[in-house]
Amino acid sequence: MQTELSKKLGIEHAVFGFTPFPAVAAAISRAGGFGVLGAVRYTAPDELKRDLDWLDGHVDGRPYGLDVVMPAKKVEGVTEADIEAMIPPEHRTFVQETLAKYGVPELAEGEASGWRITGWMEQVARSQLDVAFDYPIKLLANALGSPPADVIARAHEHDILVAALAGSAKHARKHADAGIDVVVAQGYEAGGHTGDIASMVLTPEAVEAVDPLPVLAAGGIGSGQQVAAALALGAQGVWLGSVWLTTTEADMHSPAVTRKLLAAGSGDTVRSRALTGKPARQLRTEWTDAWDDPAGPGTLPMPLQGLLVAEAVSRIQKYEVEPLLGTPVGQIVGRMNEERSVQAVFDDLTRGFEKAIDRINKIAGR
């Protein structure tokens, strides 16, 4: 599964694996792909440094990258406390009533929420980059589109390629104009934040829009046959995230979440604003249903919603309240029906890819 981009990066397979788990990222790189560690959950630079130290020591010298979340534009002088003050009291009441309905216990006295969205704030992302640029990362991806111009320039000074996620051809062109090197065309089927356009339509549109920049296809991809289809549509690789959640290297911290992922079908996800305030595909749960119910107060815009539900999500996760317990995941969850190692996933991808190529060659009379 070689392309011009994979050869440029020195990887065996044009498979880019996004994951919040260092062990998964390292295993992806060792298997011949390109592991990309998600940085959004790191609120302290020392925590990111610790995990990048570990990752760098476990990739066997193979390349890897980092994914951050930072807006191209920012509002000056706004603190987290300022944002918290904007949350309406009725929304806080709704959260508490929903948690009480399901008997979700309080956190222990003095215990801080383990899930915050401060990683979405630009100053946090910049502190992450101050750490990351001391490591030999080969790709910097930004989940909110093109990063600020000075960040792109700084990455290029370190010979680091910059990638940006796009949900439309229009977004892709804006990224190209901003000077990024790789467009990740993320379709509607993907886990986490997505747009409205499906991968089969989006991928060739993005390829045409930014030619000759390389495009990675993302969303709904989890088999070698789908990798072959993405390359046939003009992509120079695939960007996979959800499929790694049920690998043996993933540290989900919740057996209940893993059970729900393994049992879910492709129709068991929903695109909801319940988690962050922007549409994000995730497992459908009674928590997402409550927020999407017209009888409720409705979700708040980003970043208000994320701050509002941060403690609630931590409580739901800690006590594994299964009716409310979910996670961002794409429609490919229907294929994620057993726990496998990262290497086993790659073995399946390469076998499926070979079968697809053989099938097309036979159709073409070769």
Side-chain angles (χ1 to χ4, degrees), residues 113-337:
S113 168
W115 186 88
R116 301 293 285 173
I117 64 159
T118 49
W120 295 84
M121 302 178 74
E122 184 183 348
Q123 62 266 34
V124 176
R126 286 187 176 274
S127 70
Q128 293 167 348
L129 294 177
D130 288 339
V131 172
F133 285 137
D134 287 335
Y135 291 84
I137 62 173
K138 299 299 182 184
L139 178 79
L140 175 67
N142 187 36
L144 284 183
S146 303
D150 67 295
V151 172
I152 296 174
R154 189 177 174 192
H156 287 165
E157 289 172 2
H158 287 79
D159 293 323
I160 297 169
L161 297 181
V162 179
L165 273 66
S168 70
K170 180 181 178 180
H171 293 158
R173 281 191 291 269
K174 284 185 176 180
H175 298 339
D177 292 342
I180 63 93
D181 306 289
V182 180
V183 169
V184 181
Q186 182 169 326
Y188 171 84
E189 309 95 323
H193 295 113
T194 72
D196 299 307
I197 305 172
S199 298
M200 182 63 74
V201 175
L202 175 62
T203 302
E205 286 186 348
V207 168
E208 183 177 349
V210 302
D211 184 58
L213 284 184
V215 170
L216 301 178
I221 302 172
S223 72
Q225 290 89 339
Q226 291 167 316
V227 175
L231 300 189
L233 292 171
Q236 287 203 30
V238 293
W239 178 274
L240 308 184
S242 297
V243 73
W244 315 112
L245 293 175
T246 51
T247 56
T248 53
E249 292 90 347
D251 187 10
M252 290 296 291
H253 298 294
S254 174
V257 169
T258 299
R259 287 196 303 271
K260 293 185 80 168
L261 288 170
L262 295 174
S266 56
D268 292 328
T269 67
V270 64
R271 206 162 149 266
S272 171
R273 298 177 184 268
L275 191 60
T276 67
K278 291 186 70 174
R281 187 169 298 284
Q282 56 203 281
L283 283 178
R284 181 178 180 180
T285 66
E286 294 183 34
W287 177 255
T288 62
D289 286 349
W291 282 104
D292 295 337
D293 188 340
T299 57
L300 297 170
M302 178 186 280
L304 300 182
Q305 181 71 14
L307 288 170
L308 169 66
V309 304
E311 181 181 320
V313 171
S314 289
R315 289 165 60 183
I316 292 166
Q317 291 175 345
K318 177 178 179 177
Y319 299 109
E320 295 198 313
V321 183
E322 293 208 27
L324 305 179
L325 190 62
T327 188
V329 70
Q331 291 180 327
I332 198 63
V333 70
R335 293 183 61 94
M336 296 157 50
N337 50 25

